[in-house]
């Protein structure tokens, strides 16, 4: 059976695009976590609770430190907030740059998981780029080919 190997040029192009993608994903993930950490916490009123299968989504309203009133929807990830109902209050964390759009519960660490995946992809694609761009080893001379 004669297998066809991918061309070296294809591997080089694929590894470079993948490496750029993984680097961008890592930088964006790190910036997102940093921006969320520079934000603040607030007490939010629960306006609506929506159950979609096993997932629970909340619509909350809160006031930022700058006095801006925000209404946002978020997915419940913290076990303490799974049984929350309309009218109750929960603590939320909002980002500094987009306080009304990037809202999460206090105790939600899903951003770190995304950053971990991005770093693993970055390492894997860096290894692929190294392997595809290194100089090929010279072939074994024929006089040594049959030796154990």
């Amino acid at each position: 059976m004669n297998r066809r190997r991918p061309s070296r040029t294809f591997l080089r192009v694929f590894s470079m695009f993948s490496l750029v993608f993984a680097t961008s994903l890592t930088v964006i993930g790190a910036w997102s976590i940093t921006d969320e950490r520079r934000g603040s916490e607030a007490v939010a009123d629960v306006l609506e609770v929506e159950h979609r299968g096993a997932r629970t989504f909340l619509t909350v309203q809160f006031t930022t430190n700058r006095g801006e009133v925000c209404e946002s929807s978020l997915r419940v990830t913290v076990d303490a907030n799974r049984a929350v109902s309309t009218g109750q209050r929960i603590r939320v964390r909002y980002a500094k740059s987009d306080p009304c759009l990037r809202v999460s519960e206090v105790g939600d660490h899903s951003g770190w998981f995304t950053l971990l995946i991005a770093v693993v992809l970055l390492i894997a694609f860096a290894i692929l780029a190294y392997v595809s761009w290194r100089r090929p080893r010279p072939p074994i001379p024929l006089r040594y080919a049959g030796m154990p």
Side-chain angles (χ1 to χ4, degrees):
M1 179 175 188
N2 191 3
R3 278 190 161 174
R4 187 168 172 203
R5 296 176 62 193
S7 72
R8 195 161 192 80
T9 305
F10 171 76
L11 284 177
R12 286 179 176 177
V13 170
F14 177 74
S15 68
M16 292 314 294
F17 279 124
S18 302
L19 191 59
V20 168
F21 170 73
T23 303
S24 302
L25 190 66
T26 304
V27 168
I28 290 170
W31 176 83
S32 175
I33 289 174
T34 303
D35 189 44
E36 287 177 5
R37 292 292 151 215
R38 289 187 305 159
S40 295
E41 293 181 6
V43 177
D45 297 321
V46 177
L47 301 177
E48 183 183 352
V49 178
E50 183 181 348
H51 298 284
R52 297 182 203 159
R55 298 178 181 174
T56 304
F57 293 89
L58 302 177
T59 302
V60 295
Q61 184 177 14
F62 61 96
T63 305
T64 65
N65 289 346
R66 292 184 250 159
E68 185 179 358
V69 177
C70 296
E71 186 174 314
S72 181
S73 180
L74 59 100
R75 181 177 172 204
V76 175
T77 57
V78 180
D79 289 334
N81 294 332
R82 294 215 187 271
V84 75
S85 61
T86 304
Q88 291 184 330
R89 301 179 85 151
I90 63 168
R91 295 200 51 82
V92 295
R93 181 171 238 346
Y94 58 89
K96 184 177 181 182
S97 63
D98 296 319
C100 293
L101 295 176
R102 297 181 43 221
V103 180
S104 62
E105 299 170 288
V106 171
D108 178 18
H109 302 294
S110 60
W112 289 100
F113 183 67
T114 304
L115 185 63
L116 177 69
I117 291 172
V119 169
V120 168
L121 283 175
L122 180 65
I123 292 170
F125 289 137
I127 291 170
L128 176 67
Y130 171 75
V131 169
S132 66
W133 282 90
R134 69 180 177 161
R135 292 176 58 190
R137 288 188 244 163
I140 298 175
L142 290 178
R143 63 180 176 201
Y144 299 117
M147 298 181 86

